[in-house]
Amino acid sequence: MYAQQSDLVLKAEELVYSNPVEAIKIADHILNISQKPNENATANLLLAKSYMAKGDYDNAIVYAFDEVNQLEEVDVNTRIENNIIKARLLRKLYLDPQSIGCLNKARALNSEILLEKDRFEYHIFLEHINMLLDRLKINEAITELKEKEIQFKSFLDNNENEKRTYYLLTTKAYNSLNQYDSAFVYMDKTFELLNTSQNNNLYEKALTYKESGLLYLQNKEFKKSKETLFIALQFAEILDNQFLLEQIHRDLAINYLASNQNNQHNVYYKKFLNLNNSIEEIEQQSVNTYFNIISRQEESQLESYKSKYNQYLFISFAVAIFIIIIGILILIKSENIKKRKREIINYLEVSRNIFTKVKPTQNVQKQANKRLVIPEETEQNIILKLQRFEKSLKYLSKDMSLALLAGQFETNTKYLSEIINKNYNDNFNTFINKLRVNYIIEKLKNDTNYINYKISFLADESGFSSHSNFTTVFKGIVGMSPATFINLLKIEREEILNNKET
């Protein structure tokens, strides 16, 4: 009986990322015949991973957060992997504090074992890197990838599947920074290992071809981009993973728009919108399911505590507070999810107010002990000069500095810095950068030629010293990269033209 069940577990593990539907059937059968907590936890883990591969986060949460999974009787390796899976699920639902908590539990458990310690440490590291990439902490992710490549060198050399994952994440990181040469190097390494692998991991293949298609798209190799995206689409359709399908349809829609194939763009853009609406419902349902499960578990624990210590009033108060916290968390998370979706689902409604022009702030309360005492006449004179300065475009000069501007205003740097901080709520560098970013945004909006220029030209035109500095500042002020902003602007203009024609 035990040997037969072990064979079923191995079979299900082989099918998780190639045929998750069949893996779910096998895992369900294992769960039905299991009699021990460890067997139940193993089946739950298989079900959670299989449903994740399908993009069914709601069911994945149900099995991943089953209380039996973390019982002391359960094998510690199973508990570690379960915590990593829970961290991944919560990250995808933007429940970051809870995700980090699960990852810390996995680290704590991993410190207790000897066998497979490197494997679990590597998987914990990968989940951490995915969190950084998803939250756009790209430079931090690249730094850690480089550092850990040395630490995990021996492990990666002996595990080609894990090495592929490392290369793919590194590709994604460099692609996010628009460092396409480095991204292509690691993408080639990924495909080299993928083509020689005997592992039929359709989920990994879909991710790899999707990232490759995005890389070609950003490098304006539209034909290659479409070819690889369609391969990714085939794998995603086999898995029936709504999240992968949404991302691939989005990239295809952008591809067709960029290559002036408007009919095809409309087809894939509509599919993207439908999938996006479906995913938003899945995510909200999954978040609700998670909090309901945690709420039941907490209530169960509180009831047990009540029975033991007979403190009914304390338990009622704790449950009430917990329910309030859950309500607040659900509300906050719902708003965060909508905010995260805004950039994607508003292709046709790109805000005309992405950047608010710098305006002096009046009646700012003075902090008497921290501000310089500047004669009112001197202050008003400098403010007038700043307003003329904004209209003069002198801020586009790469040589512009606080000292230089103070000299032009015939004042000292302390006065100028204090007045900018007081009236604009920014330091000098931020004040200048906002003027420059606003200048280039107005050019992009009002001069159709500008959206076709290279980012390096836009950086130079707006007074920035380098492409990377411009991209970093732009993203910090506007909330998205220049490339993303330009794509949204192109889509907006295309939709406006279509509406006029109809």
Side-chain angles (χ1 to χ4, degrees), residues 46-103:
L46 287 168
L47 286 164
K49 290 195 292 187
S50 299
Y51 278 116
M52 274 193 72
K54 281 176 54 62
D56 185 349
Y57 294 166
D58 194 38
N59 275 310
I61 283 175
V62 170
Y63 291 102
F65 285 87
D66 193 313
E67 287 182 290
V68 74
N69 299 338
Q70 294 298 321
L71 294 176
E72 291 295 326
E73 303 96 303
V74 174
D75 179 72
V76 66
N77 289 7
T78 303
R79 282 185 279 157
I80 293 171
E81 191 169 2
N82 174 251
N83 275 301
I84 295 172
I85 291 297
K86 289 196 292 188
R88 188 178 306 162
L89 271 167
L90 294 170
R91 167 176 59 83
K92 289 180 178 293
L93 294 173
Y94 274 69
L95 296 168
D96 292 359
Q98 294 86 343
S99 175
I100 293 170
C102 290
L103 213 55

Short mmCIF file of all heavy atoms in Angstrom, two decimals, residues 46-103:
data_model
loop_
_atom_site.label_atom_id
_atom_site.label_comp_id
_atom_site.label_asym_id
_atom_site.label_seq_id
_atom_site.Cartn_x
_atom_site.Cartn_y
_atom_site.Cartn_z
N LEU A 46 0.93 18.73 -3.37
CA LEU A 46 0.77 18.43 -4.80
C LEU A 46 -0.42 19.20 -5.39
O LEU A 46 -0.34 19.75 -6.49
CB LEU A 46 0.59 16.93 -5.01
CG LEU A 46 1.84 16.07 -4.81
CD1 LEU A 46 1.45 14.59 -4.77
CD2 LEU A 46 2.83 16.31 -5.95
N LEU A 47 -1.51 19.23 -4.65
CA LEU A 47 -2.71 19.93 -5.13
C LEU A 47 -2.46 21.44 -5.21
O LEU A 47 -2.87 22.08 -6.18
CB LEU A 47 -3.89 19.64 -4.19
CG LEU A 47 -4.49 18.24 -4.32
CD1 LEU A 47 -5.36 17.90 -3.13
CD2 LEU A 47 -5.30 18.12 -5.61
N ALA A 48 -1.79 21.99 -4.21
CA ALA A 48 -1.51 23.43 -4.23
C ALA A 48 -0.64 23.80 -5.42
O ALA A 48 -0.90 24.79 -6.13
CB ALA A 48 -0.82 23.84 -2.92
N LYS A 49 0.42 23.03 -5.68
CA LYS A 49 1.31 23.32 -6.81
C LYS A 49 0.58 23.14 -8.14
O LYS A 49 0.79 23.93 -9.08
CB LYS A 49 2.54 22.40 -6.74
CG LYS A 49 3.47 22.73 -5.59
CD LYS A 49 4.84 22.09 -5.74
CE LYS A 49 4.78 20.59 -5.61
NZ LYS A 49 6.13 19.99 -5.60
N SER A 50 -0.25 22.12 -8.25
CA SER A 50 -0.97 21.86 -9.50
C SER A 50 -1.96 22.97 -9.81
O SER A 50 -2.07 23.44 -10.95
CB SER A 50 -1.69 20.51 -9.43
OG SER A 50 -0.78 19.45 -9.23
N TYR A 51 -2.70 23.40 -8.78
CA TYR A 51 -3.65 24.49 -9.00
C TYR A 51 -2.93 25.81 -9.31
O TYR A 51 -3.42 26.63 -10.10
CB TYR A 51 -4.56 24.66 -7.78
CG TYR A 51 -5.72 23.69 -7.75
CD1 TYR A 51 -5.82 22.74 -6.74
CD2 TYR A 51 -6.69 23.71 -8.75
CE1 TYR A 51 -6.89 21.83 -6.72
CE2 TYR A 51 -7.75 22.82 -8.73
CZ TYR A 51 -7.84 21.88 -7.72
OH TYR A 51 -8.88 20.99 -7.71
N MET A 52 -1.76 26.01 -8.73
CA MET A 52 -0.97 27.20 -9.07
C MET A 52 -0.56 27.17 -10.54
O MET A 52 -0.57 28.19 -11.23
CB MET A 52 0.27 27.28 -8.18
CG MET A 52 0.04 27.97 -6.86
SD MET A 52 1.59 28.37 -6.03
CE MET A 52 2.15 29.71 -7.07
N ALA A 53 -0.14 25.98 -11.01
CA ALA A 53 0.26 25.85 -12.42
C ALA A 53 -0.89 26.19 -13.35
O ALA A 53 -0.68 26.69 -14.46
CB ALA A 53 0.77 24.44 -12.69
N LYS A 54 -2.13 25.92 -12.92
CA LYS A 54 -3.31 26.25 -13.71
C LYS A 54 -3.75 27.70 -13.53
O LYS A 54 -4.64 28.18 -14.24
CB LYS A 54 -4.48 25.33 -13.30
CG LYS A 54 -4.43 23.94 -13.90
CD LYS A 54 -5.55 23.08 -13.37
CE LYS A 54 -6.91 23.71 -13.55
NZ LYS A 54 -7.27 23.93 -14.96
N GLY A 55 -3.14 28.40 -12.56
CA GLY A 55 -3.56 29.76 -12.29
C GLY A 55 -4.81 29.83 -11.44
O GLY A 55 -5.44 30.88 -11.32
N ASP A 56 -5.18 28.71 -10.79
CA ASP A 56 -6.35 28.67 -9.91
C ASP A 56 -5.87 28.91 -8.48
O ASP A 56 -5.70 27.98 -7.70
CB ASP A 56 -7.04 27.31 -10.03
CG ASP A 56 -8.34 27.25 -9.24
OD1 ASP A 56 -8.60 28.16 -8.42
OD2 ASP A 56 -9.10 26.29 -9.41
N TYR A 57 -5.66 30.18 -8.14
CA TYR A 57 -5.09 30.52 -6.84
C TYR A 57 -6.06 30.26 -5.70
O TYR A 57 -5.64 30.01 -4.56
CB TYR A 57 -4.67 31.99 -6.83
CG TYR A 57 -3.54 32.32 -7.77
CD1 TYR A 57 -3.23 33.63 -8.10
CD2 TYR A 57 -2.76 31.31 -8.33
CE1 TYR A 57 -2.18 33.93 -8.95
CE2 TYR A 57 -1.72 31.60 -9.20
CZ TYR A 57 -1.44 32.91 -9.51
OH TYR A 57 -0.41 33.19 -10.36
N ASP A 58 -7.34 30.31 -5.99
CA ASP A 58 -8.34 30.10 -4.94
C ASP A 58 -8.22 28.69 -4.36
O ASP A 58 -8.10 28.50 -3.15
CB ASP A 58 -9.73 30.33 -5.51
CG ASP A 58 -10.78 30.46 -4.42
OD1 ASP A 58 -10.48 31.07 -3.37
OD2 ASP A 58 -11.89 29.96 -4.59
N ASN A 59 -8.22 27.69 -5.24
CA ASN A 59 -8.08 26.31 -4.78
C ASN A 59 -6.68 26.05 -4.23
O ASN A 59 -6.51 25.27 -3.29
CB ASN A 59 -8.39 25.33 -5.91
CG ASN A 59 -9.87 25.04 -6.04
OD1 ASN A 59 -10.54 24.72 -5.06
ND2 ASN A 59 -10.41 25.19 -7.24
N ALA A 60 -5.67 26.68 -4.84
CA ALA A 60 -4.31 26.50 -4.35
C ALA A 60 -4.20 26.96 -2.90
O ALA A 60 -3.53 26.30 -2.08
CB ALA A 60 -3.33 27.29 -5.23
N ILE A 61 -4.85 28.07 -2.55
CA ILE A 61 -4.83 28.57 -1.18
C ILE A 61 -5.50 27.59 -0.22
O ILE A 61 -5.02 27.34 0.88
CB ILE A 61 -5.50 29.96 -1.11
CG1 ILE A 61 -4.54 31.02 -1.65
CG2 ILE A 61 -5.92 30.31 0.30
CD1 ILE A 61 -5.12 32.40 -1.75
N VAL A 62 -6.62 27.01 -0.67
CA VAL A 62 -7.34 26.07 0.19
C VAL A 62 -6.43 24.93 0.64
O VAL A 62 -6.39 24.58 1.83
CB VAL A 62 -8.57 25.51 -0.56
CG1 VAL A 62 -9.19 24.35 0.23
CG2 VAL A 62 -9.60 26.61 -0.78
N TYR A 63 -5.68 24.35 -0.31
CA TYR A 63 -4.83 23.21 0.02
C TYR A 63 -3.51 23.63 0.66
O TYR A 63 -2.99 22.93 1.53
CB TYR A 63 -4.59 22.36 -1.23
CG TYR A 63 -5.83 21.65 -1.70
CD1 TYR A 63 -6.57 22.14 -2.78
CD2 TYR A 63 -6.30 20.53 -1.04
CE1 TYR A 63 -7.73 21.51 -3.20
CE2 TYR A 63 -7.47 19.89 -1.46
CZ TYR A 63 -8.18 20.39 -2.53
OH TYR A 63 -9.33 19.77 -2.93
N ALA A 64 -2.98 24.76 0.25
CA ALA A 64 -1.70 25.21 0.82
C ALA A 64 -1.84 25.61 2.29
O ALA A 64 -0.91 25.41 3.08
CB ALA A 64 -1.15 26.39 0.01
N PHE A 65 -3.00 26.14 2.67
CA PHE A 65 -3.19 26.63 4.03
C PHE A 65 -3.99 25.67 4.91
O PHE A 65 -4.48 26.07 5.97
CB PHE A 65 -3.85 28.01 4.00
CG PHE A 65 -2.91 29.11 3.59
CD1 PHE A 65 -2.73 29.42 2.24
CD2 PHE A 65 -2.19 29.80 4.53
CE1 PHE A 65 -1.85 30.40 1.85
CE2 PHE A 65 -1.30 30.80 4.16
CZ PHE A 65 -1.12 31.10 2.82
N ASP A 66 -4.09 24.42 4.49
CA ASP A 66 -4.71 23.40 5.34
C ASP A 66 -3.86 23.27 6.61
O ASP A 66 -2.63 23.17 6.56
CB ASP A 66 -4.77 22.07 4.60
CG ASP A 66 -5.67 21.06 5.31
OD1 ASP A 66 -5.54 20.89 6.54
OD2 ASP A 66 -6.49 20.43 4.63
N GLU A 67 -4.50 23.25 7.76
CA GLU A 67 -3.79 23.24 9.03
C GLU A 67 -2.89 22.04 9.21
O GLU A 67 -1.86 22.11 9.89
CB GLU A 67 -4.79 23.30 10.19
CG GLU A 67 -5.44 24.67 10.37
CD GLU A 67 -6.38 24.70 11.56
OE1 GLU A 67 -7.45 24.06 11.46
OE2 GLU A 67 -6.07 25.36 12.56
N VAL A 68 -3.24 20.91 8.57
CA VAL A 68 -2.46 19.69 8.74
C VAL A 68 -1.03 19.85 8.21
O VAL A 68 -0.11 19.16 8.67
CB VAL A 68 -3.16 18.50 8.04
CG1 VAL A 68 -3.03 18.59 6.52
CG2 VAL A 68 -2.58 17.16 8.52
N ASN A 69 -0.85 20.77 7.27
CA ASN A 69 0.45 20.90 6.58
C ASN A 69 1.59 21.27 7.52
O ASN A 69 2.75 20.99 7.21
CB ASN A 69 0.36 21.93 5.46
CG ASN A 69 -0.65 21.57 4.40
OD1 ASN A 69 -0.99 20.39 4.25
ND2 ASN A 69 -1.14 22.54 3.67
N GLN A 70 1.30 21.94 8.62
CA GLN A 70 2.35 22.43 9.51
C GLN A 70 2.38 21.71 10.86
O GLN A 70 3.02 22.17 11.81
CB GLN A 70 2.19 23.93 9.74
CG GLN A 70 2.41 24.78 8.49
CD GLN A 70 3.83 24.64 7.94
OE1 GLN A 70 4.81 24.56 8.68
NE2 GLN A 70 3.93 24.58 6.62
N LEU A 71 1.71 20.55 10.94
CA LEU A 71 1.78 19.76 12.16
C LEU A 71 3.18 19.21 12.37
O LEU A 71 3.91 18.95 11.41
CB LEU A 71 0.77 18.61 12.10
CG LEU A 71 -0.72 19.00 12.08
CD1 LEU A 71 -1.59 17.77 11.93
CD2 LEU A 71 -1.10 19.77 13.34
N GLU A 72 3.56 19.02 13.62
CA GLU A 72 4.89 18.52 13.94
C GLU A 72 5.14 17.13 13.37
O GLU A 72 6.28 16.76 13.08
CB GLU A 72 5.08 18.49 15.47
CG GLU A 72 5.16 19.85 16.12
CD GLU A 72 6.39 20.62 15.70
OE1 GLU A 72 7.45 20.00 15.47
OE2 GLU A 72 6.30 21.86 15.57
N GLU A 73 4.05 16.34 13.20
CA GLU A 73 4.21 14.98 12.66
C GLU A 73 4.61 14.97 11.19
O GLU A 73 5.10 13.97 10.67
CB GLU A 73 2.91 14.18 12.81
CG GLU A 73 2.41 14.07 14.24
CD GLU A 73 1.37 15.13 14.57
OE1 GLU A 73 1.69 16.34 14.42
OE2 GLU A 73 0.26 14.74 14.97
N VAL A 74 4.39 16.11 10.50
CA VAL A 74 4.68 16.19 9.06
C VAL A 74 6.17 16.36 8.85
O VAL A 74 6.85 17.09 9.59
CB VAL A 74 3.91 17.38 8.43
CG1 VAL A 74 4.31 17.57 6.96
CG2 VAL A 74 2.41 17.14 8.54
N ASP A 75 6.69 15.68 7.83
CA ASP A 75 8.12 15.76 7.49
C ASP A 75 8.54 17.22 7.32
O ASP A 75 7.85 18.01 6.67
CB ASP A 75 8.38 14.98 6.20
CG ASP A 75 9.83 15.05 5.77
OD1 ASP A 75 10.67 14.42 6.43
OD2 ASP A 75 10.11 15.76 4.80
N VAL A 76 9.69 17.59 7.89
CA VAL A 76 10.12 18.98 7.87
C VAL A 76 10.35 19.48 6.45
O VAL A 76 10.08 20.66 6.15
CB VAL A 76 11.40 19.17 8.73
CG1 VAL A 76 12.58 18.42 8.14
CG2 VAL A 76 11.72 20.64 8.91
N ASN A 77 10.82 18.62 5.55
CA ASN A 77 11.01 19.03 4.14
C ASN A 77 9.68 19.44 3.51
O ASN A 77 9.60 20.42 2.75
CB ASN A 77 11.64 17.91 3.33
CG ASN A 77 13.10 17.70 3.69
OD1 ASN A 77 13.60 18.31 4.63
ND2 ASN A 77 13.79 16.87 2.95
N THR A 78 8.63 18.69 3.82
CA THR A 78 7.30 19.01 3.29
C THR A 78 6.82 20.35 3.85
O THR A 78 6.24 21.17 3.14
CB THR A 78 6.30 17.91 3.65
OG1 THR A 78 6.76 16.66 3.14
CG2 THR A 78 4.92 18.21 3.07
N ARG A 79 7.11 20.59 5.13
CA ARG A 79 6.69 21.85 5.74
C ARG A 79 7.45 23.04 5.14
O ARG A 79 6.88 24.11 4.93
CB ARG A 79 6.91 21.80 7.26
CG ARG A 79 5.83 21.01 7.99
CD ARG A 79 6.03 21.10 9.49
NE ARG A 79 7.04 20.15 9.95
CZ ARG A 79 7.74 20.28 11.06
NH1 ARG A 79 7.58 21.37 11.82
NH2 ARG A 79 8.62 19.38 11.42
N ILE A 80 8.74 22.84 4.87
CA ILE A 80 9.52 23.92 4.25
C ILE A 80 8.95 24.26 2.87
O ILE A 80 8.71 25.43 2.54
CB ILE A 80 11.01 23.51 4.12
CG1 ILE A 80 11.65 23.39 5.49
CG2 ILE A 80 11.77 24.55 3.28
CD1 ILE A 80 13.04 22.79 5.46
N GLU A 81 8.73 23.22 2.05
CA GLU A 81 8.22 23.46 0.69
C GLU A 81 6.83 24.08 0.73
O GLU A 81 6.50 24.94 -0.08
CB GLU A 81 8.19 22.14 -0.09
CG GLU A 81 7.92 22.34 -1.58
CD GLU A 81 8.16 21.09 -2.38
OE1 GLU A 81 8.50 20.05 -1.79
OE2 GLU A 81 8.00 21.17 -3.61
N ASN A 82 6.02 23.66 1.70
CA ASN A 82 4.68 24.23 1.85
C ASN A 82 4.75 25.73 2.15
O ASN A 82 4.00 26.53 1.58
CB ASN A 82 3.93 23.50 2.96
CG ASN A 82 2.58 24.15 3.27
OD1 ASN A 82 2.41 24.76 4.32
ND2 ASN A 82 1.63 24.04 2.36
N ASN A 83 5.68 26.14 3.02
CA ASN A 83 5.82 27.56 3.34
C ASN A 83 6.31 28.36 2.14
O ASN A 83 5.90 29.51 1.96
CB ASN A 83 6.79 27.73 4.52
CG ASN A 83 6.08 27.59 5.86
OD1 ASN A 83 5.16 28.33 6.18
ND2 ASN A 83 6.50 26.61 6.65
N ILE A 84 7.17 27.77 1.31
CA ILE A 84 7.63 28.46 0.10
C ILE A 84 6.47 28.65 -0.88
O ILE A 84 6.32 29.72 -1.48
CB ILE A 84 8.78 27.67 -0.56
CG1 ILE A 84 10.00 27.65 0.37
CG2 ILE A 84 9.16 28.29 -1.90
CD1 ILE A 84 11.13 26.75 -0.11
N ILE A 85 5.65 27.60 -1.02
CA ILE A 85 4.48 27.70 -1.90
C ILE A 85 3.51 28.76 -1.39
O ILE A 85 2.95 29.56 -2.16
CB ILE A 85 3.77 26.33 -2.02
CG1 ILE A 85 4.63 25.33 -2.81
CG2 ILE A 85 2.41 26.47 -2.69
CD1 ILE A 85 4.89 25.73 -4.24
N LYS A 86 3.30 28.80 -0.09
CA LYS A 86 2.39 29.81 0.49
C LYS A 86 2.95 31.21 0.26
O LYS A 86 2.19 32.14 -0.07
CB LYS A 86 2.20 29.54 1.98
CG LYS A 86 1.37 28.30 2.28
CD LYS A 86 0.86 28.24 3.70
CE LYS A 86 1.95 28.04 4.70
NZ LYS A 86 1.41 27.80 6.07
N ALA A 87 4.27 31.37 0.42
CA ALA A 87 4.88 32.67 0.17
C ALA A 87 4.67 33.10 -1.27
O ALA A 87 4.39 34.27 -1.56
CB ALA A 87 6.38 32.61 0.49
N ARG A 88 4.82 32.15 -2.22
CA ARG A 88 4.65 32.46 -3.64
C ARG A 88 3.21 32.89 -3.93
O ARG A 88 2.95 33.86 -4.65
CB ARG A 88 5.02 31.24 -4.48
CG ARG A 88 5.06 31.50 -5.99
CD ARG A 88 5.48 30.24 -6.72
NE ARG A 88 6.74 29.74 -6.17
CZ ARG A 88 7.19 28.50 -6.35
NH1 ARG A 88 6.49 27.63 -7.03
NH2 ARG A 88 8.35 28.14 -5.81
N LEU A 89 2.24 32.16 -3.38
CA LEU A 89 0.83 32.49 -3.59
C LEU A 89 0.51 33.89 -3.05
O LEU A 89 -0.13 34.70 -3.73
CB LEU A 89 -0.04 31.47 -2.87
CG LEU A 89 -0.45 30.21 -3.64
CD1 LEU A 89 -1.03 29.18 -2.68
CD2 LEU A 89 -1.44 30.53 -4.74
N LEU A 90 0.96 34.17 -1.84
CA LEU A 90 0.66 35.46 -1.23
C LEU A 90 1.35 36.60 -1.96
O LEU A 90 0.80 37.70 -2.06
CB LEU A 90 1.09 35.43 0.24
CG LEU A 90 0.29 34.46 1.12
CD1 LEU A 90 0.92 34.31 2.48
CD2 LEU A 90 -1.16 34.92 1.26
N ARG A 91 2.57 36.35 -2.48
CA ARG A 91 3.25 37.37 -3.29
C ARG A 91 2.43 37.70 -4.53
O ARG A 91 2.27 38.88 -4.89
CB ARG A 91 4.64 36.89 -3.71
CG ARG A 91 5.28 37.75 -4.81
CD ARG A 91 6.69 37.30 -5.12
NE ARG A 91 6.77 35.94 -5.56
CZ ARG A 91 6.56 35.52 -6.81
NH1 ARG A 91 6.20 36.40 -7.75
NH2 ARG A 91 6.70 34.26 -7.14
N LYS A 92 1.94 36.67 -5.20
CA LYS A 92 1.17 36.90 -6.42
C LYS A 92 -0.14 37.65 -6.14
O LYS A 92 -0.69 38.30 -7.03
CB LYS A 92 0.88 35.56 -7.12
CG LYS A 92 2.12 34.92 -7.74
CD LYS A 92 1.80 33.60 -8.41
CE LYS A 92 3.04 33.00 -9.07
NZ LYS A 92 3.49 33.80 -10.22
N LEU A 93 -0.61 37.56 -4.90
CA LEU A 93 -1.82 38.28 -4.51
C LEU A 93 -1.51 39.62 -3.84
O LEU A 93 -2.39 40.28 -3.30
CB LEU A 93 -2.66 37.41 -3.57
CG LEU A 93 -3.23 36.14 -4.19
CD1 LEU A 93 -3.90 35.28 -3.12
CD2 LEU A 93 -4.21 36.45 -5.31
N TYR A 94 -0.22 40.00 -3.84
CA TYR A 94 0.23 41.26 -3.27
C TYR A 94 -0.03 41.36 -1.77
O TYR A 94 -0.23 42.43 -1.21
CB TYR A 94 -0.39 42.45 -4.01
CG TYR A 94 0.42 42.84 -5.23
CD1 TYR A 94 0.47 42.00 -6.33
CD2 TYR A 94 1.14 44.02 -5.26
CE1 TYR A 94 1.24 42.32 -7.44
CE2 TYR A 94 1.92 44.35 -6.38
CZ TYR A 94 1.95 43.49 -7.46
OH TYR A 94 2.71 43.82 -8.55
N LEU A 95 0.01 40.23 -1.09
CA LEU A 95 -0.05 40.21 0.36
C LEU A 95 1.38 40.06 0.88
O LEU A 95 1.77 39.02 1.42
CB LEU A 95 -0.94 39.05 0.84
CG LEU A 95 -2.43 39.17 0.42
CD1 LEU A 95 -3.16 37.87 0.67
CD2 LEU A 95 -3.11 40.31 1.15
N ASP A 96 2.16 41.11 0.69
CA ASP A 96 3.61 41.03 0.92
C ASP A 96 4.01 40.71 2.35
O ASP A 96 4.88 39.86 2.56
CB ASP A 96 4.27 42.32 0.45
CG ASP A 96 4.21 42.48 -1.06
OD1 ASP A 96 3.67 41.60 -1.74
OD2 ASP A 96 4.71 43.49 -1.57
N PRO A 97 3.46 41.37 3.38
CA PRO A 97 3.89 41.03 4.75
C PRO A 97 3.64 39.57 5.09
O PRO A 97 4.48 38.91 5.72
CB PRO A 97 3.04 41.97 5.62
CG PRO A 97 2.68 43.10 4.71
CD PRO A 97 2.51 42.48 3.36
N GLN A 98 2.48 39.05 4.66
CA GLN A 98 2.17 37.65 4.93
C GLN A 98 3.10 36.72 4.16
O GLN A 98 3.53 35.68 4.67
CB GLN A 98 0.71 37.35 4.56
CG GLN A 98 -0.31 38.09 5.42
CD GLN A 98 -0.63 39.48 4.92
OE1 GLN A 98 0.10 40.06 4.13
NE2 GLN A 98 -1.73 40.05 5.39
N SER A 99 3.44 37.11 2.92
CA SER A 99 4.36 36.31 2.11
C SER A 99 5.74 36.23 2.76
O SER A 99 6.35 35.16 2.86
CB SER A 99 4.48 36.92 0.71
OG SER A 99 5.45 36.24 -0.06
N ILE A 100 6.24 37.36 3.22
CA ILE A 100 7.54 37.41 3.87
C ILE A 100 7.53 36.57 5.15
O ILE A 100 8.51 35.88 5.48
CB ILE A 100 7.93 38.87 4.18
CG1 ILE A 100 8.18 39.62 2.86
CG2 ILE A 100 9.18 38.94 5.06
CD1 ILE A 100 8.32 41.12 3.03
N GLY A 101 6.40 36.59 5.87
CA GLY A 101 6.28 35.78 7.08
C GLY A 101 6.42 34.29 6.78
O GLY A 101 7.11 33.56 7.52
N CYS A 102 5.78 33.82 5.71
CA CYS A 102 5.89 32.41 5.34
C CYS A 102 7.32 32.07 4.92
O CYS A 102 7.82 30.97 5.23
CB CYS A 102 4.92 32.10 4.19
SG CYS A 102 3.18 32.12 4.67
N LEU A 103 7.96 32.98 4.22
CA LEU A 103 9.34 32.74 3.78
C LEU A 103 10.28 32.67 4.99
O LEU A 103 11.21 31.85 5.01
CB LEU A 103 9.77 33.84 2.82
CG LEU A 103 10.74 33.44 1.70
CD1 LEU A 103 10.19 32.30 0.87
CD2 LEU A 103 11.04 34.63 0.81
#
